[in-house]
Amino acid sequence: MVDIPQAEKRLDLDKKTSGEAEFIDDLSFPGMLHALVLRSPHAHAEIVDIDLKKALEVEGIEKIVTGQDITDEIINIDIGDHRPIAVDKVRFHGEPVAVVLSEDKWQAKKALNLIEVEYKPLKAVLKAKEAVKEDAPLIHENQEEYDRHMDTNYHKNSNIFRHYKLRKGNLEEAFKKADKIIENTYDYPQRSHTQMEPHGAIAKWYSDEEMVMYASTQSPFFVRTAIADMFKLDAPKITVKSGYLGGGFGGKSDVAIEPLTAFVAKFVPNKYVKLRLSREEAFNASLIARGGEVDLKTAVTKDGKILGEKINIYFSSGAYGSTSVHIVTAGGHNSSGPYEIDNMEVDSYGVYTNTPPVGAFRGYSHPEVHWAKERQMHIIAKELGIDEHELRLKNMLRPGSINALGQEIEESDGDLIGCYEKIRDRLEEIEIDKKPNKVYGKGIAAMMKSPVMATNSAASATLRFNEDGTCDLAASGSEMGQGTKTAMKQIAAAALKLPLEKIKIKEDISTDNSPYGWQTIGSTTTWKAGRAVIDAVEKAIDKLKENAALVLEVDKDDLEYQGEKVVYKKDESMYIETDKICFGHLADNGLVTGEPVQTYGTYVPKGLIYTDPETGQGNAAAEYTYGAQGVVVEIDIETGELKLLNMMMAIDAGKVISPQMARGQIVGGMVQEMGGALNEELRYGKEGKMRNNSFTDYKIPTPLDLYDTKFDVYFFETPEPIGPFGARGIAEHGTVGITPAFGNAISNALGIELFDLPLTREKIFLNMDKEGDLDV
Amino acid sequence: MAKKINTTINDKDYELEVPYQMSLLELLREELHLTGAKEGCGNGECGACTVLINNEAVRSCIVLAHEVDGKEVITIEGVKKTGEFKKIRDAFAAEDAVQCGFCTPGFVMAIKALLDRTKSPTDEEIKEALGGHLCRCTGYESIHKAVKRLV
Amino acid sequence: MFSPFEYVKAENLEEVFEILEENDDAQIIAGGTDLLVKLREAKRSPKTLIDIKELEELKGIKKEKNKIKIGALTTITELKNSELIKNELFALYQAASDFGCYEIRNRATIGGNIVHASPGAEFGVTVFALDAKVEVVGQDGIKEYPIDEFWYDVGKVKLKNELLKSIIIDIEENTKSSYHRLSRVDGMDLAVVNTALAKKSDGSYKSYFGTVARTPYRNKEIDKLLNDNNYTNETFKKIQKIVDENVSPRASSLRASPEYKKKMVVSLLKRCLRDIGELGDDIDG
């Protein structure tokens, strides 16, 4: 295994601690206009009339844009069902209806409050299972009219915009052979990413056809394409720039406010327009997260072999579908969890609901389906009277198993069993100091995740040697706290065999001159961008050897690159220093030999195809990362208060590039998901208005919730064949099994089974067995 | 509608005219381009806007700008030049307690204020100082470890 | 952002009353931690904000014979750091410790919390249980009210062009006190349900429950059971029954269901009793 040089600290740490790091709202430009958005107060309504008269009389208003200004602009990602601003109707509380532009934000607010909109409210439907009923109101009346980039298998005259099917084996037979059939429904409600930095974008059109945009986005190239398509322009006419993001988590990886910002800015050419979301808007006017209800019907033998499973998943995907089409797919084929199940029938539905649209969120449907699967495994073990570890191990994927997609598991996929046993054993060995009025529980969950991404999602990197032998490196991947820029530097340094200090990496991205990347998602950046960096390095080394061969007058194949120098293998005393040839070699008489070494590396995963529309199978997942997670909880029997004593994960990371940053990703992911386990849930009123769109009533984990918690993170390193130095993606994986770990811990502590998240103190208390005297 | 104020921000004296309804956070960020303090929520609930007024930690998003008339304000831009900042920064570096960095200046201000109050804070005092600061990236483990290094 | 308003920093009480008389669209601002949050969301601000933070008459924690007088402008931090309060009125110390978070405590005031009159206020159940009296100052001088007359409904206190001046609590009357609350997270949160308990000099108890009624709630039958001092599991079953039959918290609360609140006020009552040293080990959790 290669020794990866470690950075003393991540390269942006100084800037971030001193407040010098710039985020989107820190940018301002002379003459910049603020864009304030008037949003629908209704979850579902027709727009009857918009009267701007009074608003336009306010001093200092540059322009007010409404849906009446739309000609044919559509955001057409996977489904062309979404306009940047509402036109005839509104489909969620918070949907943009009008935008006021002014240099003075107080004047803009004054004008905003004077806009008069007449609505005709319609019946709103908030949950998928309600939205698929016969009498449910149609949120999109004419699905047939929408352009699609792929066959989403939508249902006509229905709110179902995506239907993914998976059929494996013969489920009917499996049910016949079963000793027991266990059927449960699990609910994972919608959540908010709550990045600490709300979304923001600044756009300027400097002609009818060319625009520059600064955005807090994980996907500048993706945003570029979406905006270019929206205006039917060629991609290079749009330039998107991104720097540091104050958190992304997937919520900034699709398009959120960028199309709207571009749209309104077009009406005020040559002016910068800033649209930034308040916290309340970040909750109900960007993209939201999760929202899956899973019906699991499992056929088992009495000694715990899973014979088959029928799985229905209903995703409450919100008002527009593009950003969750693949969540539906991924949820579908990952609903098996990390187990070999020979007979499966999965129907995974993406359903329109009158809530903000759901987008990618760390874990990307895997947490929703693992909530169901890992709880179900725990419950099955209980009902069969067998040890839950034995049950899992009996069915767990191992080399030779065939997963739900029909892929064969290989040893190089990772040591799932090793990870599981590690957590099982660690939980076992933890001794608990019991206190009065408290009960204790340990909970475990196994997990897996594959990246979900376009089959052609590429990453690239550029490497340029400078006259002094240092390098300028650029790689795809937006920096949102995961430390990708530092990691890419480390990978480059390892491949180049040069010290870290010799490499400078470009931290921001500008689509006009940065190497291309798809979206910074799916735990794929270290892996894909890392491979692209290695590709660029290998090409550079080749060019260096070419230059050296010319200078030393030997065969290129007889040369060995050793970092600071290139050496003649047959006589090591014959060599030339890298910094003498990296810019071409300049002889004393002025003659230049060779070329400056500047290379471009790319990486696209090979062999991926779309899943089969009937069987839902196919080589759709490039690699898997496996692991297991556990929690130890203390519950107060008087109140249901839950305190987290221990939290742990074992994960097969392939190769850890930076142990500190990797641990940060795992711990960060686990705690973020703990919010979903214990408290986070978007709450709506009867008419569909979001009620808890602020930190007052949307409670994310706080320092005091974790102050006494002991974390254990174990990295297994089974090299990933397609990863850079064997590294595998791990950014999301901390989230995947946390909710069932909590559910199982509560079950072990109190003997109660909870099926609906979040597992609040209230829910725990009210479900406790009050009759019997608990042994404390 | 506006008030003339005299205030000292990061050891520099200012004479400013500020609209009554402008928050201290808006004054710092939009008028003075001291963008280290961030708006994470606008309601005083997340801590990203934390600054010191007369050495007391406050949420600048819900303090009106003109209220600093005759007072001393310290922001991260003032703190970053000090020796104590370097200690805090180095502790953060040792524990990798920074990820996206958006909450970081707020935490640094809270920690600086804590250490100003007491050189060797107890667990209770650390919890009290940090309890109202939200971070979505780190899970807090690295931040708590960093603070414990400074005790 | 806040919509524009006029602003006056009152230098004396007369100024305050004058502006309030002439201006029915003026609002008092102290720490601003409640008001400014409300204003942020509002379409328009009040015409004038009157800042009372300079008014010395409203400041300070003083011991006057057998009473403690707390100025309305006392910040939560000042309350928490006061040795006098911690020693004599422990429930107030506990409430101050649970309140908001560090930075908010530096700005928020006990007066602001009381006039906001939220059923779950930290300084709701506590001051009620301690039989506080309030001093109110207006153009006509100072009036005194028992707290339960002053604070009479959700968001409603007895102030007409007047200011809350101080909160007065008898420390001879109140020998011990305790406050407990439940929240959804540890860290900054509102009280989802809370309970305060005060033991009086004659050995009797006064308990108050928050968030279960429009104002802090007390039931004399419950206090009678507590006065009995002979606590068994039966005692608390009876207390629970009284709560279940007499209290109807609104079902629309985002924070907790009526069922949970009703059960929790009793659980928290047990915690208060434990603090005061009155609950033995034979009581089940």
Side-chain angles (χ1 to χ4, degrees):
Chain A
M1 281 242 197
V2 176
D3 226 346
I4 312 271
Q6 295 302 313
E8 197 196 303
K9 54 187 165 184
R10 56 176 75 209
L11 64 88
D12 48 16
L13 187 132
D14 285 359
K15 274 191 283 240
K16 286 176 174 176
T17 45
S18 68
E20 287 162 356
E22 279 180 340
F23 298 86
I24 195 77
D25 195 37
D26 300 331
L27 302 178
S28 64
F29 298 88
M32 185 174 80
L33 302 175
H34 296 279
L36 260 62
V37 184
L38 181 69
R39 299 182 180 280
S40 164
H42 299 288
H44 198 195
E46 276 169 28
I47 300 176
V48 175
D49 186 50
I50 305 180
D51 187 350
L52 302 178
K53 195 160 144 302
K54 289 194 191 129
L56 288 168
E57 283 164 6
V58 171
E59 208 186 300
I61 302 307
E62 190 89 13
K63 169 81 186 165
I64 303 180
V65 180
T66 71
Q68 287 159 13
D69 295 304
I70 289 271
T71 55
D72 62 353
E73 297 84 356
I74 283 217
I75 305 165
N76 192 349
I77 305 175
D78 282 315
I79 308 172
D81 63 358
H82 194 179
R83 303 225 182 244
I85 191 168
V87 180
D88 303 314
K89 67 186 282 199
V90 288
R91 295 180 171 92
F92 66 95
H93 165 227
E95 184 160 9
V97 169
V99 185
V100 178
L101 303 178
S102 171
E103 247 185 272
D104 184 326
K105 64 182 191 183
W106 284 294
Q107 292 300 97
K109 183 169 180 180
K110 196 170 171 194
L112 195 84
N113 292 332
L114 292 170
I115 299 176
E116 290 168 359
V117 185
E118 196 188 326
Y119 295 97
K120 178 169 163 242
L122 303 166
K123 184 160 181 286
V125 67
L126 300 173
K127 280 205 95 154
K129 280 189 173 175
E130 291 300 308
V132 300
K133 287 191 179 148
E134 277 287 311
D135 59 345
L138 274 185
I139 298 173
H140 290 261
E141 293 91 344
N142 301 309
Q143 282 204 72
E144 314 83 71
E145 289 175 6
Y146 295 144
D147 270 336
R148 284 177 178 74
H149 289 179
M150 57 176 272
D151 177 14
T152 61
N153 194 16
Y154 70 95
H155 292 198
K156 290 203 171 68
N157 288 317
S158 147
N159 285 315
I160 295 173
F161 65 88
R162 168 90 179 115
H163 177 189
Y164 167 82
K165 290 193 294 194
L166 189 143
R167 303 285 182 262
K168 185 186 180 204
N170 187 335
L171 190 64
E172 220 181 296
E173 281 302 308
F175 277 146
K176 285 202 193 114
K177 292 205 189 101
D179 291 322
K180 232 183 160 133
I181 295 182
I182 289 144
E183 197 171 352
N184 286 304
T185 296
Y186 300 88
D187 189 25
Y188 194 131
Q190 290 172 331
R191 288 174 61 193
S192 169
H193 309 69
T194 47
Q195 308 93 340
M196 290 317 296
E197 179 206 24
H199 297 65
I202 304 174
K204 177 173 110 152
W205 289 85
Y206 41 100
S207 76
D208 246 354
E209 286 209 335
E210 293 185 326
M211 184 198 83
V212 67
M213 172 180 277
Y214 297 80
S216 184
T217 174
Q218 297 169 236
S219 313
F221 286 92
F222 186 85
V223 169
R224 176 180 81 161
T225 304
I227 292 175
D229 283 353
M230 189 168 84
F231 291 107
K232 299 190 174 51
L233 296 168
D234 292 334
K237 302 269 191 204
I238 308 291
T239 303
V240 179
K241 296 173 184 283
S242 71
Y244 297 122
L245 280 74
F249 313 119
K252 295 175 180 172
S253 68
D254 297 300
V255 287
I257 60 162
E258 299 80 10
L260 176 62
T261 310
F263 182 69
V264 304
K266 205 150 192 280
F267 293 95
V268 287
N270 282 301
K271 293 208 168 201
Y272 286 98
V273 173
K274 180 192 270 192
L275 199 159
R276 64 183 273 295
L277 296 187
S278 66
R279 174 55 57 187
E280 288 77 6
E281 288 171 312
F283 274 104
N284 75 343
S286 63
L287 292 164
I288 61 174
R290 307 266 194 266
E293 228 177 319
V294 183
D295 300 325
L296 265 188
K297 191 171 174 184
T298 315
V300 287
T301 63
K302 59 180 182 298
D303 61 339
K305 177 91 190 110
I306 299 181
L307 297 176
E309 224 158 30
K310 168 86 188 88
I311 305 172
N312 293 332
I313 312 170
Y314 292 86
F315 284 101
S316 301
S317 301
Y320 298 98
S322 280
T323 48
S324 46
V325 168
H326 304 293
I327 295 174
V328 178
T329 315
H333 64 77
N334 288 295
S335 56
S336 59
Y339 302 105
E340 183 168 29
I341 305 176
D342 293 331
N343 305 292
M344 287 178 73
E345 243 180 63
V346 183
D347 287 281
S348 180
Y349 301 100
V351 186
Y352 287 128
T353 54
N354 290 114
T355 67
V358 169
F361 182 34
R362 200 173 193 175
Y364 207 77
S365 87
H366 293 66
E368 294 94 301
V369 300
H370 277 73
W371 164 242
K373 196 58 207 279
E374 282 301 279
R375 287 288 295 127
Q376 183 86 332
M377 292 301 271
H378 176 88
I379 288 169
I380 290 172
K382 254 172 106 171
E383 295 209 13
L384 294 178
I386 64 182
D387 176 68
E388 67 173 314
H389 303 307
E390 274 173 44
L391 175 71
R392 288 198 182 85
L393 288 166
K394 197 184 193 97
N395 293 281
M396 210 165 259
L397 291 171
R398 65 201 70 220
S401 301
I402 307 289
N403 70 10
L405 281 178
Q407 300 168 311
E408 184 176 323
I409 304 301
E410 292 165 45
E411 199 157 321
S412 60
D413 284 329
D415 190 1
L416 169 57
I417 291 174
C419 288
Y420 185 81
E421 288 175 340
K422 180 77 190 173
I423 296 301
R424 176 198 66 191
D425 296 341
R426 174 67 186 135
L427 281 173
E428 176 72 38
E429 85 186 6
I430 287 176
E431 272 173 33
I432 297 172
D433 203 4
K434 299 199 176 176
K435 298 201 197 100
N437 289 326
K438 315 275 192 204
V439 293
Y440 297 85
K442 299 174 179 177
I444 193 169
M447 56 73 61
M448 72 173 184
K449 185 178 187 291
S450 69
V452 184
M453 58 195 190
T455 50
N456 65 346
S457 62
S460 34
T462 56
L463 181 66
R464 189 179 65 198
F465 271 89
N466 298 311
E467 305 99 307
D468 56 3
T470 59
C471 295
D472 273 303
L473 173 71
S476 46
S478 301
E479 177 59 71
M480 48 184 173
Q482 78 281 53
T484 183
K485 297 308 175 192
T486 306
M488 290 304 111
K489 245 183 85 156
Q490 290 176 267
I491 288 174
L496 277 169
K497 297 188 172 62
L498 288 176
L500 280 168
E501 305 79 64
K502 283 221 152 151
I503 302 166
K504 170 115 199 312
I505 185 166
K506 185 167 146 77
E507 294 178 75
D508 58 301
I509 297 178
S510 185
T511 57
D512 56 351
N513 60 26
S514 291
Y516 172 85
W518 186 60
Q519 296 177 333
T520 312
I521 49 88
S523 311
T524 58
T525 304
T526 300
W527 154 50
K528 287 194 298 187
R531 284 291 302 268
V533 166
I534 290 175
D535 186 39
V537 167
E538 284 172 352
K539 288 170 175 161
I541 290 174
D542 195 61
K543 283 204 162 164
L544 285 167
K545 280 161 73 172
E546 257 172 42
N547 287 354
L550 289 170
V551 173
L552 296 174
E553 291 170 333
V554 296
D555 237 2
K556 194 174 91 173
D557 295 329
D558 292 329
L559 288 169
E560 185 181 71
Y561 171 79
Q562 288 183 359
E564 305 273 13
K565 54 191 180 183
V566 183
V567 169
Y568 184 50
K569 287 192 266 200
K570 293 181 183 165
D571 175 8
E572 299 237 338
S573 71
M574 198 169 155
Y575 67 87
I576 182 101
E577 292 93 333
T578 303
D579 62 11
K580 291 208 167 65
I581 48 167
C582 61
F583 217 69
H585 178 259
L586 184 67
D588 288 335
N589 69 352
L591 187 70
V592 174
T593 314
E595 299 286 329
V597 178
Q598 301 179 12
T599 58
Y600 196 102
T602 58
Y603 179 75
V604 143
K606 293 289 188 293
L608 295 180
I609 56 170
Y610 299 131
T611 54
D612 182 280
E614 283 314 306
T615 65
Q617 299 189 295
N619 190 33
E623 49 96 4
Y624 282 87
T625 308
Y626 295 104
Q629 301 179 285
V631 298
V632 181
V633 303
E634 173 190 271
I635 299 174
D636 189 301
I637 55 173
E638 289 185 321
T639 59
E641 282 165 301
L642 184 150
K643 193 172 146 116
L644 181 65
L645 301 179
N646 301 75
M647 188 175 240
M648 62 192 73
M649 181 163 202
I651 179 170
D652 198 322
K655 169 80 184 163
V656 175
I657 304 297
S658 159
Q660 264 196 329
M661 296 198 301
R663 187 188 176 95
Q665 283 285 64
I666 298 297
V667 170
M670 293 200 288
V671 170
Q672 188 172 36
E673 192 66 8
M674 170 184 171
L678 300 183
N679 270 304
E680 292 178 40
E681 178 185 4
L682 289 174
R683 306 271 298 270
Y684 300 91
K686 271 186 293 256
E687 268 112 62
K689 262 201 165 128
M690 192 185 288
R691 292 182 67 198
N692 61 341
N693 57 336
S694 81
F695 287 126
T696 311
D697 287 316
Y698 187 88
K699 307 309 291 182
I700 70 172
T702 73
L704 301 192
D705 291 322
L706 281 318
Y707 195 81
D708 298 313
T709 308
K710 299 222 172 2
F711 290 93
D712 290 303
V713 179
Y714 306 103
F715 290 114
F716 282 59
E717 288 185 304
T718 310
E720 169 55 56
I722 62 171
F725 304 118
R728 208 172 265 121
I730 59 161
E732 297 168 274
H733 301 64
T735 65
V736 178
I738 287 299
T739 55
F742 275 98
N744 295 340
I746 291 166
S747 165
N748 284 331
L750 292 166
I752 60 175
E753 300 306 340
L754 297 175
F755 298 91
D756 301 336
L757 292 168
L759 311 170
T760 60
R761 297 166 171 188
E762 171 174 331
K763 205 173 272 182
I764 292 172
F765 179 83
L766 292 177
N767 281 284
M768 274 188 215
D769 173 18
K770 298 263 74 132
E771 294 317 300
D773 284 307
L774 284 161
D775 262 317
V776 287
Chain B
M1 294 312 244
K3 183 174 177 187
K4 273 206 179 71
I5 64 168
N6 288 301
T7 179
T8 307
I9 303 179
N10 297 330
D11 279 336
K12 186 167 163 198
D13 293 331
Y14 290 87
E15 205 179 275
L16 303 160
E17 189 166 315
V18 301
Y20 282 131
Q21 74 275 12
M22 179 180 272
S23 71
L24 176 57
L25 184 64
E26 284 169 331
L27 172 68
L28 293 169
R29 290 179 55 79
E30 294 169 32
E31 296 300 306
L32 304 176
H33 301 293
L34 296 167
T35 55
K38 311 288 180 201
E39 181 177 314
C41 73
N43 269 344
E45 292 175 298
C46 74
C49 67
T50 304
V51 300
L52 307 184
I53 299 179
N54 288 355
N55 285 316
E56 207 179 51
V58 297
R59 302 272 155 115
S60 64
C61 68
I62 48 173
V63 170
L64 295 173
H66 66 84
E67 293 192 79
V68 301
D69 187 22
K71 303 207 171 112
E72 263 184 54
V73 180
I74 303 177
T75 72
I76 188 72
E77 287 86 354
V79 168
K80 77 181 182 188
K81 302 176 200 146
T82 65
E84 50 187 338
F85 169 76
K86 288 193 176 55
K87 291 203 190 95
I88 298 174
R89 184 199 62 200
D90 290 346
F92 269 54
E95 296 297 339
D96 196 35
V98 174
Q99 289 187 26
C100 84
F102 199 77
C103 74
T104 308
F107 268 98
V108 172
M109 295 306 291
I111 293 166
K112 178 233 175 346
L114 170 67
L115 296 175
D116 282 349
R117 288 194 295 279
T118 157
K119 285 275 160 286
S120 263
T122 60
D123 279 331
E124 280 313 304
E125 287 165 325
I126 296 173
K127 281 154 102 169
E128 185 191 43
L130 301 187
H133 285 261
L134 296 177
C135 170
R136 197 53 157 166
C137 296
T138 63
Y140 306 109
E141 184 199 38
S142 53
I143 298 177
H144 291 157
K145 281 183 172 170
V147 177
K148 290 195 180 145
R149 275 181 181 252
L150 297 162
V151 168
Chain C
M1 71 184 97
F2 308 116
S3 292
F5 45 75
E6 289 294 332
Y7 193 97
V8 175
K9 200 167 197 84
E11 304 202 346
N12 53 58
L13 285 167
E14 290 70 50
E15 219 185 319
V16 177
F17 304 135
E18 257 169 51
I19 301 175
L20 285 175
E21 270 288 320
E22 291 164 13
N23 201 330
D24 55 0
D25 192 17
Q27 265 195 276
I28 307 291
I29 181 169
T33 54
D34 271 332
L35 179 64
L36 290 178
V37 169
K38 277 214 192 79
L39 286 191
R40 191 164 155 268
E41 289 310 292
K43 281 200 168 175
R44 49 166 289 283
S45 294
K47 185 154 171 292
T48 308
L49 292 189
I50 310 168
D51 187 337
I52 56 170
K53 285 198 281 292
E54 299 290 290
L55 300 176
E56 290 302 315
E57 300 95 317
L58 272 49
K59 296 185 188 175
I61 303 173
K62 302 176 199 93
K63 182 157 179 280
E64 287 173 4
K65 288 209 215 146
N66 59 327
K67 299 203 210 296
I68 289 186
K69 196 168 182 175
I70 305 168
L73 285 177
T74 305
T75 66
I76 311 305
T77 295
E78 285 165 351
L79 265 177
K80 182 166 189 256
N81 291 341
S82 158
E83 279 303 307
L84 187 61
I85 297 286
K86 191 169 180 185
N87 290 332
E88 301 293 341
L89 299 170
F90 194 65
L92 294 186
Y93 167 78
Q94 286 171 305
S97 305
D98 281 344
F99 189 103
C101 69
Y102 184 77
E103 289 90 355
I104 297 287
R105 292 196 280 270
N106 287 340
R107 301 277 298 177
T109 61
I110 184 171
N113 192 242
I114 289 175
V115 304
H116 194 63
S118 169
E122 252 75 37
F123 298 101
V125 290
T126 42
V127 300
F128 273 72
L130 291 166
D131 285 314
K133 294 204 171 21
V134 296
E135 265 188 336
V136 161
V137 62
Q139 256 161 355
D140 305 332
I142 297 181
K143 295 180 206 154
E144 208 177 272
Y145 298 109
I147 184 70
D148 57 358
E149 194 189 315
F150 177 69
W151 174 333
Y152 63 92
D153 199 358
V154 180
K156 296 216 167 76
V157 294
K158 228 171 177 159
L159 283 177
K160 188 173 160 59
N161 295 342
E162 296 158 314
L163 288 180
L164 174 63
K165 183 171 181 289
S166 57
I167 298 99
I168 303 168
I169 302 175
D170 189 321
I171 53 175
E172 239 170 55
E173 229 333 83
N174 293 292
T175 58
K176 287 197 182 146
S177 63
S178 169
Y179 168 83
H180 278 279
R181 77 171 203 173
L182 267 188
S183 53
R184 291 157 294 188
V185 290
D186 296 335
M188 185 163 170
D189 200 355
L190 296 167
V192 145
V193 60
N194 53 16
T195 296
L197 181 68
K199 187 170 186 181
K200 308 294 170 178
S201 55
D202 65 357
S204 70
Y205 287 100
K206 204 159 207 172
S207 64
Y208 266 90
F209 302 143
T211 79
V212 294
R214 298 184 67 83
T215 60
Y217 174 82
R218 178 191 179 222
N219 189 297
K220 294 201 180 100
E221 297 304 315
I222 293 176
D223 289 340
K224 270 206 202 111
L225 287 167
L226 291 176
N227 293 344
D228 195 22
N229 268 314
N230 213 354
Y231 306 128
T232 64
N233 285 323
E234 269 310 302
T235 317
F236 294 101
K237 283 207 178 107
K238 284 193 190 140
I239 292 177
Q240 187 67 66
K241 192 158 181 289
I242 297 172
V243 171
D244 290 344
E245 288 169 359
N246 286 283
V247 148
S248 309
R250 61 186 181 101
S252 59
S253 168
L254 267 179
R255 296 176 189 146
S257 67
E259 203 195 330
Y260 187 57
K261 285 181 179 178
K262 289 197 271 196
K263 297 279 182 292
M264 287 304 100
V265 291
V266 179
S267 289
L268 295 178
L269 185 60
K270 285 186 195 165
R271 286 187 179 173
C272 288
L273 282 164
R274 276 189 207 116
D275 277 357
I276 297 183
E278 306 292 316
L279 203 60
D281 290 331
D282 55 333
I283 302 300
D284 286 347

